[in-house]
Amino acid sequence: MGRPQYFQYYDSPLGKILLVATDYGLSGAWFEGQKYYAENFNTEAQRAKSEYVGLAEEWLDAYFQGMEPDFQVPIDLSGTPFRVAVWEELYKVPWGESVSYGLLGARVAMRLKRSYSLTRPTAQAVAHNPVSIIVPCHRVLGRNGELTGYAGGLERKRFLLRLERIHFDPTS
């Protein structure tokens, strides 16, 4: 059955976000209606505010006010070892900075001691990121700064990038 989960909804400027946590950290943050919505959500979860859901709400409050939150929300990522490695590398991309899929794939390859490109599988793992915004998949751009897919939708990605003042190709 897995770990017990707790959830709440957060009203953001971009729509409702489902926040899900275990006893170990935040395990999910999805925009309502996004692709891969609530992939690891246990339908028997309790609607209750946990410590980690509360921290995520505080973090998102600061974030949506245009401030870089001064603390990290502990996360509890669940997925294949490869996907977790991608999400952990993604978690390291700093506020206000972006990374290309190629560079992120190279970092994952180095971490996993692989000598070949992992760009495509990395992009697929990014698309399935279960903790939107806090694990910043919106900071991943195409090779020349162009916008590419975002499970929450490109309009939301544009908003998030502008909020952090990250430069991207506005024609994409």
Side-chain angles (χ1 to χ4, degrees):
M1 173 144 134
R3 296 177 171 165
Q5 291 182 330
Y6 312 92
F7 74 96
Q8 285 288 331
Y9 289 95
Y10 177 84
D11 289 317
S12 85
L14 298 172
K16 278 190 177 184
I17 298 174
L18 171 63
L19 297 174
V20 179
T22 67
D23 291 330
Y24 302 96
L26 191 70
S27 60
W30 299 274
F31 287 106
E32 221 171 41
Q34 82 172 51
K35 259 187 194 178
Y36 315 116
Y37 180 77
E39 270 188 329
N40 68 354
F41 181 57
N42 177 349
T43 56
E44 295 178 16
Q46 293 181 298
R47 185 170 188 150
K49 189 177 264 190
S50 77
E51 170 189 359
Y52 301 115
V53 167
L55 283 172
E57 289 173 331
E58 287 177 39
W59 193 98
L60 289 167
D61 285 345
Y63 181 85
F64 282 117
Q65 289 174 26
M67 298 183 291
E68 178 181 1
D70 61 358
F71 64 95
Q72 290 189 322
V73 178
I75 54 174
D76 184 20
L77 298 169
S78 178
T80 66
F82 177 77
R83 283 187 175 180
V84 170
V86 170
W87 300 331
E88 288 174 347
E89 285 301 312
L90 193 52
Y91 195 49
K92 297 176 187 176
V93 178
W95 161 277
E97 294 183 26
S98 65
V99 66
S100 69
Y101 286 97
L103 181 56
L104 185 62
R107 289 177 183 170
V108 172
M110 275 185 19
R111 176 185 180 143
L112 299 177
K113 297 176 178 32
R114 306 280 168 80
S115 59
Y116 48 88
S117 172
L118 294 175
T119 302
R120 279 184 193 229
T122 295
Q124 195 58 237
V126 168
H128 288 267
N129 171 24
V131 185
S132 294
I133 304 175
I134 295 170
V135 174
C137 51
H138 62 279
R139 295 181 189 149
V140 183
L141 300 173
R143 185 176 318 160
N144 297 314
E146 67 269 4
L147 289 181
T148 55
Y150 181 63
L154 286 181
E155 283 308 309
R156 286 182 175 136
K157 185 170 185 168
R158 281 185 187 93
F159 178 96
L160 299 171
L161 293 170
R162 287 182 180 125
L163 184 69
E164 293 185 39
R165 296 173 289 288
I166 295 173
H167 297 288
F168 61 95
D169 178 357
T171 63
S172 54

